[in-house]
């Protein structure tokens, strides 16, 4: 990977739902002993807050957002001072997050929350637009994906975010819907940055994926893994 010292000390990991981004990003942050930021949880927190207030995702306004207190520090997300935990991981909140994420006002609101997470130290930040919009100057960028069948199988195996009675077909359909919404929205759609390394995790183990990611990191970071 080409390293430009004027760039941000950020490892940006983007890709669609269920591609294995979170697992890879978390492990990478673990071996490098650096902070991991999952930006999807910020969109999920907005969706959860709207849901609790009885507001449809599409009707979230800046005034509503300004009533929230959302922060991401030390790898932990707090919504109005509380860790929302598993409440963020339901199928309804996953779709709600995808819906609020199409609103430019939500993206504008979350931009400084994400940028403030990157200080002088290296961080791993995972999402949809980290390499394209949040940190176009990130030193390391990856775009991780996998076949839709494999992504659905992994979701089923995780079970947390799956509605009861879900089948492989219904999960494929749910992922297809989310992919379409995330990649066709006008505001910061999901797409690979021109300078991102593309990794297809289909059929690969977590340790294979991690070794592949590490092989593209600058030497300064690779040394930390030994
Ligand atoms: O990564 P996730 O499944 O937790 O993300 C939930 C939704 O949030 C996803 O469908 C799209 C949106 N999202 C986004 O638009 N930009 C990001 N950087 C991260 C997530």
């Amino acid at each position: 990977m080409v390293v430009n010292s004027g760039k941000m000390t950020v490892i940006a990991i983007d890709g669609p739902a269920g591609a294995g981004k979170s697992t890879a990003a978390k492990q990478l942050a673990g071996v490098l002993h650096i902070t991991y930021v999952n930006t999807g949880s910020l969109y999920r927190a907005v969706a959860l807050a709207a849901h609790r207030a009885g507001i449809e995702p599409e009707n979230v306004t800046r005034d509503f957002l300004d009533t929230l207190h959302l922060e991401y520090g030390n790898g932990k997300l707090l919504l109005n001072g509380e860790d929302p935990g598993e409440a963020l991981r339901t199928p309804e909140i996953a779709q709600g997050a995808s819906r609020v994420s199409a609103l430019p006002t939500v993206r504008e609101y979350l931009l400084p929350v994400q940028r403030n997470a990157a200080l002088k130290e290296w961080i791993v930040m995972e999402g949809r637009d980290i390499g394209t919009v949040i940190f176009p100057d990130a030193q390391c960028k990856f775009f991780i994906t996998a076949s839709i069948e494999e992504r659905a199988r992994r979701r089923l195996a995780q079970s947390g975010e799956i509605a009861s009675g879900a089948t492989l077909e219904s999960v494929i359909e749910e992922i297809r819907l989310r992919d379409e919404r995330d990649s066709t929205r006008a505001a910061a759609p999901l797409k690979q940055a021109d300078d991102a390394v593309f990794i297809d995790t289909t059929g690969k183990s977590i340790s294979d994926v991690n070794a592949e990611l590490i092989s593209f990191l600058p030497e300064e970071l690779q040394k930390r893994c030994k």
Side-chain angles (χ1 to χ4, degrees):
M1 178 167 298
V2 180
V3 177
N4 175 336
S5 54
K7 292 191 167 187
M8 299 291 295
T9 48
V10 170
I11 301 172
I13 302 189
D14 291 307
K21 290 189 309 282
S22 300
T23 311
K26 244 184 259 169
Q27 286 224 349
L28 192 61
V31 291
L32 294 171
H33 306 291
I34 60 178
T35 302
Y36 160 64
V37 178
N38 174 338
T39 61
S41 61
L42 295 170
Y43 292 88
R44 286 170 185 259
V46 169
L48 179 65
H51 177 74
R52 285 178 174 164
I55 299 171
E56 280 297 308
E58 284 73 19
N59 296 336
V60 166
T61 60
R62 180 70 201 206
D63 281 348
F64 172 70
L65 293 169
D66 285 338
T67 65
L68 305 179
H69 189 73
L70 201 52
E71 45 179 342
Y72 211 125
N74 291 330
K76 220 174 163 45
L77 173 119
L78 296 177
L79 169 63
N80 300 330
E82 270 176 41
D83 175 358
E86 288 308 300
L88 297 182
R89 304 275 142 210
T90 67
E92 188 179 16
I93 296 304
Q95 292 295 345
S98 176
R99 288 163 67 188
V100 296
S101 76
L103 304 177
T105 183
V106 170
R107 306 202 74 85
E108 262 161 45
Y109 169 77
L110 291 179
L111 192 100
V113 181
Q114 294 167 89
R115 289 210 175 134
N116 290 342
L119 300 169
K120 290 200 181 78
E121 240 313 294
W122 277 94
I123 60 162
V124 176
M125 189 174 277
E126 173 215 327
R128 302 292 189 290
D129 60 342
I130 310 307
T132 51
V133 175
I134 306 299
F135 291 112
D137 280 342
Q139 277 192 35
C140 306
K141 296 185 189 177
F142 295 98
F143 190 86
I144 298 190
T145 190
S147 73
I148 196 158
E149 291 78 14
E150 175 128 348
R151 290 160 55 204
R153 271 194 297 274
R154 288 179 188 158
R155 268 285 136 93
L156 270 176
Q158 283 170 352
S159 78
E161 207 170 284
I162 298 296
S164 61
T167 60
L168 186 62
E169 287 66 36
S170 69
V171 178
I172 287 177
E173 196 40 45
E174 198 213 312
I175 291 181
R176 204 188 298 284
L177 183 71
R178 201 132 80 87
D179 277 359
E180 190 178 291
R181 196 186 296 115
D182 293 347
S183 46
T184 57
R185 66 180 179 227
L190 168 67
K191 75 172 177 19
Q192 184 179 345
D194 292 340
D195 50 351
V197 174
F198 177 86
I199 295 183
D200 186 338
T201 66
T202 310
K204 291 180 189 160
S205 68
I206 295 168
S207 58
D208 285 350
V209 174
N210 252 41
E212 202 172 338
L213 287 172
I214 290 168
S215 75
F216 287 104
L217 295 180
E219 216 173 300
E220 171 202 345
L221 287 181
Q222 287 192 0
K223 277 195 219 141
R224 298 195 194 187
C225 304
K226 288 177 185 150

